[in-house]
Amino acid sequence: MALRHAVLAALLDGEFSGYQLAKGFDIGVANFWHALPQQLYAELARLEGEGLLSGREIVQEGRPNKRVFQVTEDGFAELERFAAASAKPSFIRDDLLVKVQAVDDVDAAPVIAQLRERAAVAEAKAEVLGKLLRRLRGELDEDEFLRTGRRIGPYLTCRRGLAFERETREWCLWAAESLVRREDVECAGPT
Amino acid sequence: MALRHAVLAALLDGEFSGYQLAKGFDIGVANFWHALPQQLYAELARLEGEGLLSGREIVQEGRPNKRVFQVTEDGFAELERFAAASAKPSFIRDDLLVKVQAVDDVDAAPVIAQLRERAAVAEAKAEVLGKLLRRLRGELDEDEFLRTGRRIGPYLTCRRGLAFERETREWCLWAAESLVRREDVECAGPT
DNA sequence: TCATCATAGTCAAGGAATTGAGTAGTCATA
DNA sequence: TATGACTACTCAATTCCTTGACTATGATGA
Protein backbone atom coordinates (compact mmCIF):
# COMPACT_ATOMS: atom_id res chain seq x y z
CA MET A 1 0.00 0.00 0.00
CA ALA A 2 1.46 3.32 -0.92
CA LEU A 3 -0.73 5.88 -2.62
CA ARG A 4 -3.26 5.67 0.21
CA HIS A 5 -1.16 7.71 2.61
CA ALA A 6 -0.41 10.36 0.04
CA VAL A 7 -4.16 10.70 -0.55
CA LEU A 8 -4.88 10.92 3.17
CA ALA A 9 -2.18 13.57 3.58
CA ALA A 10 -3.54 15.55 0.64
CA LEU A 11 -7.01 15.54 2.19
CA LEU A 12 -5.77 17.16 5.40
CA ASP A 13 -6.12 20.49 3.59
CA GLY A 14 -9.89 20.06 3.41
CA GLU A 15 -12.49 18.25 1.36
CA PHE A 16 -11.64 17.41 -2.22
CA SER A 17 -13.10 15.35 -5.03
CA GLY A 18 -11.17 12.86 -7.10
CA TYR A 19 -11.13 15.30 -9.96
CA GLN A 20 -9.76 18.11 -7.78
CA LEU A 21 -7.07 15.85 -6.41
CA ALA A 22 -6.14 14.77 -9.92
CA LYS A 23 -5.69 18.45 -10.87
CA GLY A 24 -4.03 19.42 -7.62
CA PHE A 25 -1.54 16.60 -7.82
CA ASP A 26 0.22 18.77 -10.38
CA ILE A 27 1.27 21.19 -7.67
CA GLY A 28 1.91 20.81 -3.97
CA VAL A 29 1.36 17.12 -3.43
CA ALA A 30 3.12 16.40 -6.71
CA ASN A 31 6.36 17.26 -4.94
CA PHE A 32 6.38 13.85 -3.40
CA TRP A 33 3.82 11.79 -5.21
CA HIS A 34 2.39 11.42 -8.66
CA ALA A 35 -0.77 9.55 -9.67
CA LEU A 36 -3.18 9.32 -12.56
CA PRO A 37 -6.87 10.11 -12.12
CA GLN A 38 -7.88 6.47 -12.49
CA GLN A 39 -5.66 5.53 -9.59
CA LEU A 40 -7.03 8.30 -7.42
CA TYR A 41 -10.65 7.37 -8.00
CA ALA A 42 -9.87 3.73 -7.26
CA GLU A 43 -7.93 4.61 -4.13
CA LEU A 44 -10.61 6.99 -2.85
CA ALA A 45 -13.24 4.28 -3.27
CA ARG A 46 -11.06 1.78 -1.44
CA LEU A 47 -10.30 4.19 1.41
CA GLU A 48 -13.97 5.01 1.78
CA GLY A 49 -14.79 1.29 1.82
CA GLU A 50 -12.31 0.82 4.65
CA GLY A 51 -13.73 3.75 6.58
CA LEU A 52 -10.58 5.88 6.43
CA LEU A 53 -12.40 8.50 4.37
CA SER A 54 -16.01 9.62 4.27
CA GLY A 55 -17.46 11.02 1.08
CA ARG A 56 -20.47 13.18 0.42
CA GLU A 57 -22.24 14.34 -2.70
CA ILE A 58 -22.08 18.02 -3.60
CA VAL A 59 -24.89 19.11 -5.89
CA GLN A 60 -23.72 21.70 -8.37
CA GLU A 61 -25.46 23.80 -10.97
CA GLY A 62 -24.10 24.24 -14.46
CA ARG A 63 -21.73 21.31 -14.05
CA PRO A 64 -21.84 17.67 -12.92
CA ASN A 65 -22.26 16.90 -9.24
CA LYS A 66 -19.19 15.70 -7.41
CA ARG A 67 -18.26 13.61 -4.41
CA VAL A 68 -15.83 15.15 -1.95
CA PHE A 69 -13.95 13.26 0.75
CA GLN A 70 -12.63 13.96 4.20
CA VAL A 71 -10.39 12.01 6.54
CA THR A 72 -12.19 10.11 9.33
CA GLU A 73 -10.99 9.26 12.83
CA ASP A 74 -9.76 5.93 11.52
CA GLY A 75 -8.02 7.79 8.70
CA PHE A 76 -6.12 9.95 11.17
CA ALA A 77 -5.18 6.86 13.16
CA GLU A 78 -3.86 5.22 10.01
CA LEU A 79 -1.76 8.30 9.19
CA GLU A 80 -0.41 8.33 12.73
CA ARG A 81 0.64 4.70 12.38
CA PHE A 82 2.19 5.38 9.00
CA ALA A 83 4.17 8.41 10.21
CA ALA A 84 5.67 6.41 13.06
CA ALA A 85 6.65 3.42 10.91
CA SER A 86 10.10 3.42 9.33
CA ALA A 87 10.17 4.99 5.89
CA LYS A 88 11.32 3.27 2.75
CA PRO A 89 14.06 5.06 0.88
CA SER A 90 12.67 7.38 -1.75
CA PHE A 91 13.13 6.79 -5.39
CA ILE A 92 13.38 8.83 -8.52
CA ARG A 93 12.66 7.56 -11.98
CA ASP A 94 13.62 9.77 -14.81
CA ASP A 95 13.73 8.91 -18.49
CA LEU A 96 15.79 11.99 -19.17
CA LEU A 97 18.54 10.92 -16.81
CA VAL A 98 18.67 7.53 -18.55
CA LYS A 99 19.12 9.34 -21.86
CA VAL A 100 21.91 11.48 -20.45
CA GLN A 101 23.62 8.37 -19.08
CA ALA A 102 23.60 6.94 -22.61
CA VAL A 103 24.39 10.22 -24.37
CA ASP A 104 27.87 9.24 -25.50
CA ASP A 105 26.47 6.35 -27.53
CA VAL A 106 23.47 8.05 -29.14
CA ASP A 107 22.73 11.25 -31.04
CA ALA A 108 23.15 14.07 -28.50
CA ALA A 109 20.99 16.67 -30.27
CA PRO A 110 17.56 15.44 -29.12
CA VAL A 111 18.90 14.91 -25.60
CA ILE A 112 20.13 18.51 -25.49
CA ALA A 113 16.73 19.71 -26.70
CA GLN A 114 14.99 17.71 -24.00
CA LEU A 115 17.32 19.05 -21.32
CA ARG A 116 16.42 22.61 -22.30
CA GLU A 117 12.74 21.82 -22.38
CA ARG A 118 12.97 20.26 -18.95
CA ALA A 119 14.81 23.31 -17.65
CA ALA A 120 11.96 25.51 -18.82
CA VAL A 121 9.35 23.26 -17.20
CA ALA A 122 11.32 23.26 -13.95
CA GLU A 123 11.53 27.04 -13.98
CA ALA A 124 7.77 27.37 -14.48
CA LYS A 125 7.12 24.91 -11.69
CA ALA A 126 9.51 26.74 -9.40
CA GLU A 127 7.61 29.95 -9.97
CA VAL A 128 4.29 28.30 -9.13
CA LEU A 129 5.79 26.85 -5.97
CA GLY A 130 7.24 30.21 -5.01
CA LYS A 131 3.82 31.78 -5.23
CA LEU A 132 2.28 28.94 -3.26
CA LEU A 133 4.85 29.43 -0.50
CA ARG A 134 4.12 33.16 -0.29
CA ARG A 135 0.42 32.39 -0.08
CA LEU A 136 0.94 29.82 2.65
CA ARG A 137 2.95 32.08 4.90
CA GLY A 138 0.77 35.15 4.36
CA GLU A 139 2.34 38.34 5.68
CA LEU A 140 4.75 36.59 8.02
CA ASP A 141 8.37 36.07 7.10
CA GLU A 142 9.47 32.47 6.83
CA ASP A 143 11.04 32.17 10.24
CA GLU A 144 8.05 33.68 11.97
CA PHE A 145 5.65 31.48 10.03
CA LEU A 146 7.56 28.30 10.81
CA ARG A 147 7.44 29.17 14.50
CA THR A 148 3.83 30.25 14.77
CA GLY A 149 1.86 29.02 11.74
CA ARG A 150 -0.85 26.46 12.34
CA ARG A 151 0.19 24.10 9.56
CA ILE A 152 3.77 23.99 8.39
CA GLY A 153 3.83 20.50 6.82
CA PRO A 154 2.69 21.67 3.39
CA TYR A 155 5.10 24.61 3.58
CA LEU A 156 8.06 22.33 4.31
CA THR A 157 7.24 19.97 1.44
CA CYS A 158 6.74 22.85 -0.98
CA ARG A 159 10.13 24.20 0.02
CA ARG A 160 11.61 20.82 -0.87
CA GLY A 161 9.83 20.93 -4.20
CA LEU A 162 11.14 24.41 -4.92
CA ALA A 163 14.73 23.43 -4.14
CA PHE A 164 14.33 20.37 -6.34
CA GLU A 165 12.99 22.32 -9.31
CA ARG A 166 15.72 24.94 -9.06
CA GLU A 167 18.35 22.25 -8.82
CA THR A 168 16.82 20.48 -11.81
CA ARG A 169 16.87 23.66 -13.87
CA GLU A 170 20.50 24.44 -13.05
CA TRP A 171 21.65 20.94 -13.79
CA CYS A 172 19.73 20.67 -17.08
CA LEU A 173 21.21 23.91 -18.39
CA TRP A 174 24.69 22.93 -17.26
CA ALA A 175 24.45 19.45 -18.80
CA ALA A 176 23.07 20.86 -22.07
CA GLU A 177 25.91 23.40 -22.23
CA SER A 178 28.50 20.72 -21.58
CA LEU A 179 27.13 18.62 -24.41
CA VAL A 180 26.89 21.55 -26.82
CA ARG A 181 30.53 22.45 -26.26
CA ARG A 182 31.56 18.93 -27.23
CA GLU A 183 29.48 19.02 -30.39
CA ASP A 184 31.20 22.27 -31.35
CA VAL A 185 34.57 20.67 -30.84
CA GLU A 186 33.63 17.62 -32.87
CA CYS A 187 32.48 19.74 -35.80
CA ALA A 188 35.33 22.26 -35.55
CA GLY A 189 38.11 19.71 -35.22
CA PRO A 190 40.90 19.49 -37.86
CA THR A 191 39.62 17.67 -40.95
CA MET B 1 8.35 -0.35 -21.08
CA ALA B 2 10.61 1.48 -18.75
CA LEU B 3 13.28 -0.43 -16.87
CA ARG B 4 14.61 -1.83 -20.14
CA HIS B 5 16.28 1.42 -21.17
CA ALA B 6 17.83 1.94 -17.77
CA VAL B 7 19.33 -1.54 -18.02
CA LEU B 8 20.62 -0.91 -21.53
CA ALA B 9 22.16 2.38 -20.39
CA ALA B 10 23.78 0.69 -17.39
CA LEU B 11 25.34 -1.94 -19.65
CA LEU B 12 27.12 0.68 -21.75
CA ASP B 13 29.84 0.66 -19.10
CA GLY B 14 30.73 -2.91 -19.98
CA GLU B 15 29.55 -6.43 -19.33
CA PHE B 16 27.69 -7.08 -16.13
CA SER B 17 25.73 -9.89 -14.58
CA GLY B 18 22.29 -9.48 -13.03
CA TYR B 19 23.86 -9.74 -9.62
CA GLN B 20 26.40 -7.03 -10.36
CA LEU B 21 23.71 -4.75 -11.71
CA ALA B 22 21.60 -5.36 -8.63
CA LYS B 23 24.53 -4.27 -6.46
CA GLY B 24 25.52 -1.42 -8.72
CA PHE B 25 22.05 -0.03 -8.86
CA ASP B 26 22.74 1.28 -5.38
CA ILE B 27 25.20 3.79 -6.77
CA GLY B 28 25.49 5.47 -10.13
CA VAL B 29 22.47 4.21 -11.98
CA ALA B 30 20.42 4.52 -8.80
CA ASN B 31 20.48 8.27 -9.35
CA PHE B 32 17.74 7.91 -11.88
CA TRP B 33 16.35 4.44 -11.51
CA HIS B 34 15.72 1.91 -8.82
CA ALA B 35 14.98 -1.78 -9.24
CA LEU B 36 15.01 -5.00 -7.27
CA PRO B 37 17.16 -7.97 -8.29
CA GLN B 38 14.13 -10.02 -9.37
CA GLN B 39 13.14 -7.32 -11.79
CA LEU B 40 16.62 -7.07 -13.21
CA TYR B 41 16.92 -10.78 -13.84
CA ALA B 42 13.53 -10.81 -15.51
CA GLU B 43 14.34 -7.78 -17.62
CA LEU B 44 17.73 -9.15 -18.66
CA ALA B 45 16.10 -12.40 -19.78
CA ARG B 46 13.47 -10.49 -21.74
CA LEU B 47 16.03 -8.21 -23.39
CA GLU B 48 18.16 -11.19 -24.33
CA GLY B 49 15.10 -12.91 -25.78
CA GLU B 50 14.43 -9.85 -27.91
CA GLY B 51 18.03 -9.73 -29.07
CA LEU B 52 18.81 -6.35 -27.49
CA LEU B 53 21.36 -7.97 -25.22
CA SER B 54 23.62 -10.97 -25.62
CA GLY B 55 24.68 -12.96 -22.60
CA ARG B 56 27.56 -15.34 -22.04
CA GLU B 57 28.52 -17.64 -19.22
CA ILE B 58 31.61 -16.83 -17.20
CA VAL B 59 33.05 -19.85 -15.43
CA GLN B 60 34.48 -18.94 -12.05
CA GLU B 61 36.38 -20.79 -9.40
CA GLY B 62 35.60 -20.50 -5.73
CA ARG B 63 32.18 -19.05 -6.49
CA PRO B 64 29.15 -19.78 -8.71
CA ASN B 65 29.39 -19.14 -12.42
CA LYS B 66 27.63 -16.10 -13.75
CA ARG B 67 26.07 -14.81 -16.95
CA VAL B 68 27.17 -11.39 -18.12
CA PHE B 69 25.41 -9.31 -20.74
CA GLN B 70 26.38 -6.77 -23.34
CA VAL B 71 24.35 -4.49 -25.58
CA THR B 72 23.88 -5.70 -29.17
CA GLU B 73 23.49 -3.67 -32.37
CA ASP B 74 19.73 -3.88 -31.94
CA GLY B 75 20.16 -2.75 -28.36
CA PHE B 76 22.03 0.37 -29.46
CA ALA B 77 19.35 1.06 -32.06
CA GLU B 78 16.68 0.77 -29.39
CA LEU B 79 18.54 3.21 -27.14
CA GLU B 80 18.92 5.61 -30.05
CA ARG B 81 15.17 5.50 -30.66
CA PHE B 82 14.46 5.95 -26.98
CA ALA B 83 16.80 8.93 -26.62
CA ALA B 84 15.13 10.72 -29.52
CA ALA B 85 11.56 10.10 -28.30
CA SER B 86 9.99 12.71 -26.06
CA ALA B 87 10.58 12.04 -22.37
CA LYS B 88 7.89 11.61 -19.81
CA PRO B 89 8.12 13.97 -16.88
CA SER B 90 10.09 12.46 -14.04
CA PHE B 91 8.54 11.56 -10.77
CA ILE B 92 9.56 11.23 -7.19
CA ARG B 93 7.84 9.09 -4.64
CA ASP B 94 8.84 9.62 -1.09
CA ASP B 95 7.14 8.28 2.01
CA LEU B 96 9.05 10.74 4.15
CA LEU B 97 7.66 13.75 2.28
CA VAL B 98 4.15 12.38 2.79
CA LYS B 99 4.84 12.18 6.51
CA VAL B 100 6.13 15.74 6.60
CA GLN B 101 3.04 16.92 4.72
CA ALA B 102 0.91 15.37 7.48
CA VAL B 103 3.21 16.35 10.34
CA ASP B 104 0.82 18.90 11.88
CA ASP B 105 -1.78 16.18 12.45
CA VAL B 106 0.43 13.40 13.79
CA ASP B 107 3.14 12.95 16.40
CA ALA B 108 6.14 14.91 15.11
CA ALA B 109 8.83 13.05 17.07
CA PRO B 110 9.19 9.99 14.81
CA VAL B 111 9.08 12.23 11.73
CA ILE B 112 11.95 14.32 13.11
CA ALA B 113 13.92 11.15 13.80
CA GLN B 114 13.37 9.93 10.26
CA LEU B 115 14.39 13.29 8.80
CA ARG B 116 17.70 13.08 10.67
CA GLU B 117 18.26 9.51 9.61
CA ARG B 118 17.58 10.45 6.00
CA ALA B 119 20.00 13.35 6.25
CA ALA B 120 22.72 10.96 7.38
CA VAL B 121 21.95 8.53 4.54
CA ALA B 122 22.04 11.37 2.04
CA GLU B 123 25.38 12.56 3.36
CA ALA B 124 26.85 9.07 3.03
CA LYS B 125 25.53 8.75 -0.48
CA ALA B 126 26.89 12.17 -1.40
CA GLU B 127 30.33 11.09 -0.27
CA VAL B 128 30.20 7.92 -2.37
CA LEU B 129 29.11 9.94 -5.39
CA GLY B 130 31.87 12.47 -4.81
CA LYS B 131 34.45 9.68 -4.90
CA LEU B 132 32.87 8.20 -8.01
CA LEU B 133 33.08 11.58 -9.74
CA ARG B 134 36.74 11.96 -8.86
CA ARG B 135 37.40 8.47 -10.18
CA LEU B 136 35.53 9.17 -13.41
CA ARG B 137 37.42 12.34 -14.24
CA GLY B 138 40.82 10.96 -13.24
CA GLU B 139 43.47 13.66 -13.03
CA LEU B 140 41.63 16.17 -15.15
CA ASP B 141 39.67 19.00 -13.63
CA GLU B 142 35.97 18.98 -14.31
CA ASP B 143 35.94 21.44 -17.16
CA GLU B 144 38.77 19.70 -18.96
CA PHE B 145 37.16 16.30 -18.48
CA LEU B 146 33.80 17.46 -19.80
CA ARG B 147 35.51 18.78 -22.92
CA THR B 148 37.81 15.90 -23.65
CA GLY B 149 36.66 12.80 -21.72
CA ARG B 150 35.42 9.85 -23.77
CA ARG B 151 32.26 9.28 -21.79
CA ILE B 152 30.64 12.11 -19.92
CA GLY B 153 27.08 10.72 -19.62
CA PRO B 154 27.72 8.85 -16.37
CA TYR B 155 29.58 11.89 -15.02
CA LEU B 156 26.66 14.20 -15.73
CA THR B 157 24.13 11.90 -14.08
CA CYS B 158 26.34 11.40 -11.03
CA ARG B 159 26.61 15.16 -10.70
CA ARG B 160 22.81 15.32 -10.65
CA GLY B 161 22.75 12.64 -8.00
CA LEU B 162 25.28 14.51 -5.89
CA ALA B 163 23.32 17.76 -6.07
CA PHE B 164 20.16 15.86 -5.16
CA GLU B 165 21.70 14.17 -2.13
CA ARG B 166 23.19 17.42 -0.85
CA GLU B 167 19.89 19.20 -1.31
CA THR B 168 18.12 16.35 0.47
CA ARG B 169 20.48 16.55 3.40
CA GLU B 170 20.13 20.32 3.78
CA TRP B 171 16.37 20.19 3.58
CA CYS B 172 16.02 17.30 6.03
CA LEU B 173 18.13 19.06 8.64
CA TRP B 174 16.30 22.35 8.11
CA ALA B 175 12.87 20.70 8.33
CA ALA B 176 13.84 18.74 11.45
CA GLU B 177 15.13 21.92 13.10
CA SER B 178 11.94 23.79 12.25
CA LEU B 179 9.85 21.05 13.82
CA VAL B 180 12.01 20.80 16.93
CA ARG B 181 11.69 24.54 17.58
CA ARG B 182 7.92 24.21 17.56
CA GLU B 183 8.00 21.31 19.99
CA ASP B 184 10.12 23.40 22.34
CA VAL B 185 7.61 26.22 22.17
CA GLU B 186 4.69 23.88 22.82
CA CYS B 187 6.36 22.39 25.88
CA ALA B 188 7.73 25.68 27.19
CA GLY B 189 4.53 27.68 26.78
CA PRO B 190 2.77 29.22 29.80
CA THR B 191 0.89 26.57 31.77
C1' DT C 1 31.69 -27.80 13.44
C1' DC C 2 27.89 -25.09 13.12
C1' DA C 3 26.26 -20.77 11.85
C1' DT C 4 26.44 -17.02 9.01
C1' DC C 5 27.54 -14.19 5.16
C1' DA C 6 28.46 -13.36 0.14
C1' DT C 7 27.89 -14.81 -4.58
C1' DA C 8 24.58 -16.00 -8.16
C1' DG C 9 20.45 -16.79 -9.24
C1' DT C 10 15.03 -18.61 -9.70
C1' DC C 11 9.90 -18.94 -8.87
C1' DA C 12 5.21 -17.71 -7.80
C1' DA C 13 1.54 -14.66 -6.09
C1' DG C 14 -0.59 -10.56 -5.60
C1' DG C 15 -0.86 -5.61 -5.50
C1' DA C 16 0.03 -1.33 -7.97
C1' DA C 17 0.42 1.43 -12.04
C1' DT C 18 -0.22 2.48 -16.93
C1' DT C 19 -2.74 2.41 -21.31
C1' DG C 20 -6.72 3.25 -23.68
C1' DA C 21 -11.34 3.79 -24.21
C1' DG C 22 -15.91 5.42 -22.90
C1' DT C 23 -20.08 8.21 -20.61
C1' DA C 24 -22.45 12.50 -19.97
C1' DG C 25 -23.62 17.20 -19.32
C1' DT C 26 -22.11 22.34 -19.83
C1' DC C 27 -19.93 26.18 -21.97
C1' DA C 28 -17.62 29.01 -25.30
C1' DT C 29 -16.09 29.58 -30.06
C1' DA C 30 -16.32 29.65 -34.80
C1' DT D 1 -25.00 24.39 -35.16
C1' DA D 2 -21.41 21.60 -34.66
C1' DT D 3 -16.75 21.49 -32.83
C1' DG D 4 -13.90 21.24 -29.28
C1' DA D 5 -12.70 22.03 -24.25
C1' DC D 6 -13.82 21.46 -19.35
C1' DT D 7 -15.92 19.11 -15.39
C1' DA D 8 -16.60 14.66 -13.33
C1' DC D 9 -16.11 10.04 -13.35
C1' DT D 10 -15.87 4.74 -14.81
C1' DC D 11 -14.21 0.25 -16.78
C1' DA D 12 -11.13 -3.25 -18.55
C1' DA D 13 -6.71 -5.13 -20.03
C1' DT D 14 -2.17 -5.42 -19.56
C1' DT D 15 2.09 -4.57 -17.88
C1' DC D 16 4.97 -3.47 -14.10
C1' DC D 17 6.67 -3.81 -9.42
C1' DT D 18 6.90 -5.74 -4.81
C1' DT D 19 6.81 -9.40 -1.35
C1' DG D 20 8.52 -13.50 0.17
C1' DA D 21 10.37 -17.73 -0.27
C1' DC D 22 13.75 -20.95 -2.23
C1' DT D 23 18.29 -23.44 -4.33
C1' DA D 24 23.27 -23.84 -4.46
C1' DT D 25 28.29 -23.25 -3.41
C1' DG D 26 32.25 -21.32 -1.03
C1' DA D 27 34.37 -18.51 2.49
C1' DT D 28 34.59 -16.56 7.18
C1' DG D 29 34.16 -16.63 12.01
C1' DA D 30 33.00 -18.29 16.77
Side-chain angles (χ1 to χ4, degrees):
Chain A
M1 310 282 163
L3 176 60
R4 55 198 299 108
H5 300 112
V7 169
L8 287 170
L11 287 171
L12 292 173
D13 278 333
E15 290 183 318
F16 292 106
S17 68
Y19 192 77
Q20 286 174 297
L21 282 179
K23 294 270 125 172
F25 258 58
D26 290 343
I27 50 148
V29 186
N31 292 316
F32 49 83
W33 217 269
H34 134 104
L36 298 167
Q38 292 95 316
Q39 259 179 289
L40 290 171
Y41 286 116
E43 197 63 49
L44 287 167
R46 213 172 304 146
L47 286 166
E48 194 184 15
E50 291 175 36
L52 306 186
L53 292 181
S54 71
R56 63 191 184 89
E57 185 95 9
I58 300 245
V59 179
Q60 298 184 116
E61 287 172 34
R63 62 181 62 183
N65 297 341
K66 64 180 176 183
R67 274 177 67 72
V68 295
F69 297 88
Q70 63 183 350
V71 182
T72 63
E73 289 291 311
D74 284 1
F76 279 107
E78 174 60 27
L79 261 181
E80 185 77 53
R81 228 182 347 270
F82 167 68
S86 76
K88 309 178 186 171
S90 77
F91 69 84
I92 317 176
R93 273 185 193 169
D94 197 336
D95 275 10
L96 187 48
L97 274 277
V98 176
K99 292 174 188 187
V100 171
Q101 175 85 8
V103 78
D104 304 291
D105 296 276
V106 301
D107 180 15
V111 177
I112 292 167
Q114 288 174 62
L115 282 166
R116 286 175 171 157
E117 201 185 321
R118 177 67 66 85
V121 170
E123 187 166 9
K125 237 180 142 184
E127 232 167 278
V128 171
L129 287 169
K131 278 178 196 157
L132 187 53
L133 285 167
R134 279 191 289 279
R135 214 181 68 211
L136 284 172
R137 72 170 173 257
E139 285 117 59
L140 302 171
D141 69 357
E142 182 167 90
D143 208 63
E144 189 67 18
F145 172 73
L146 288 174
R147 257 184 261 245
T148 65
R150 309 130 290 133
R151 293 198 63 208
I152 66 163
Y155 190 89
L156 295 174
T157 57
C158 277
R159 211 74 169 71
R160 180 74 189 95
L162 179 61
F164 178 77
E165 296 301 336
R166 282 181 178 159
E167 203 47 78
T168 297
R169 178 176 171 278
E170 293 311 307
W171 178 81
C172 283
L173 293 177
W174 171 77
E177 255 322 290
S178 301
L179 290 169
V180 166
R181 277 209 307 247
R182 285 164 72 87
E183 291 218 313
D184 292 348
V185 171
E186 272 166 43
C187 299
T191 325
Chain B
M1 309 287 163
L3 175 59
R4 55 198 298 106
H5 300 113
V7 170
L8 287 170
L11 286 172
L12 293 173
D13 277 334
E15 291 182 319
F16 293 106
S17 68
Y19 192 79
Q20 285 174 300
L21 282 178
K23 294 271 124 171
F25 258 57
D26 291 344
I27 51 147
V29 186
N31 293 317
F32 50 84
W33 217 269
H34 132 105
L36 298 167
Q38 293 93 320
Q39 258 180 290
L40 290 172
Y41 286 117
E43 198 62 49
L44 287 168
R46 214 173 303 146
L47 287 165
E48 193 185 16
E50 291 174 34
L52 306 186
L53 291 180
S54 71
R56 62 190 184 91
E57 186 95 8
I58 300 244
V59 179
Q60 299 184 117
E61 286 173 36
R63 61 181 62 183
N65 296 342
K66 63 181 177 183
R67 274 178 66 73
V68 296
F69 297 88
Q70 64 185 350
V71 182
T72 63
E73 289 292 312
D74 285 1
F76 279 107
E78 174 61 25
L79 261 181
E80 186 75 54
R81 228 183 346 271
F82 168 68
S86 77
K88 308 176 184 173
S90 77
F91 68 86
I92 317 177
R93 272 184 191 166
D94 196 335
D95 274 11
L96 186 48
L97 275 277
V98 176
K99 292 174 189 188
V100 171
Q101 175 85 8
V103 78
D104 305 291
D105 296 276
V106 300
D107 181 14
V111 178
I112 292 167
Q114 289 176 62
L115 281 166
R116 286 176 172 157
E117 201 184 321
R118 176 68 64 86
V121 170
E123 187 167 6
K125 237 180 142 182
E127 232 167 280
V128 170
L129 287 169
K131 277 178 196 156
L132 186 52
L133 285 167
R134 278 192 290 279
R135 215 182 66 211
L136 284 173
R137 72 170 172 258
E139 286 117 56
L140 302 171
D141 68 358
E142 183 166 90
D143 207 63
E144 188 66 19
F145 172 73
L146 288 174
R147 258 184 258 246
T148 65
R150 310 130 289 133
R151 295 198 62 209
I152 68 164
Y155 191 90
L156 295 173
T157 57
C158 277
R159 211 73 168 72
R160 179 75 189 95
L162 180 60
F164 178 78
E165 296 301 336
R166 282 183 177 157
E167 203 46 79
T168 297
R169 178 176 172 279
E170 292 311 307
W171 178 82
C172 282
L173 294 177
W174 172 76
E177 254 323 290
S178 301
L179 290 169
V180 165
R181 278 210 306 248
R182 286 163 72 88
E183 290 218 311
D184 290 349
V185 170
E186 272 167 42
C187 297
T191 328

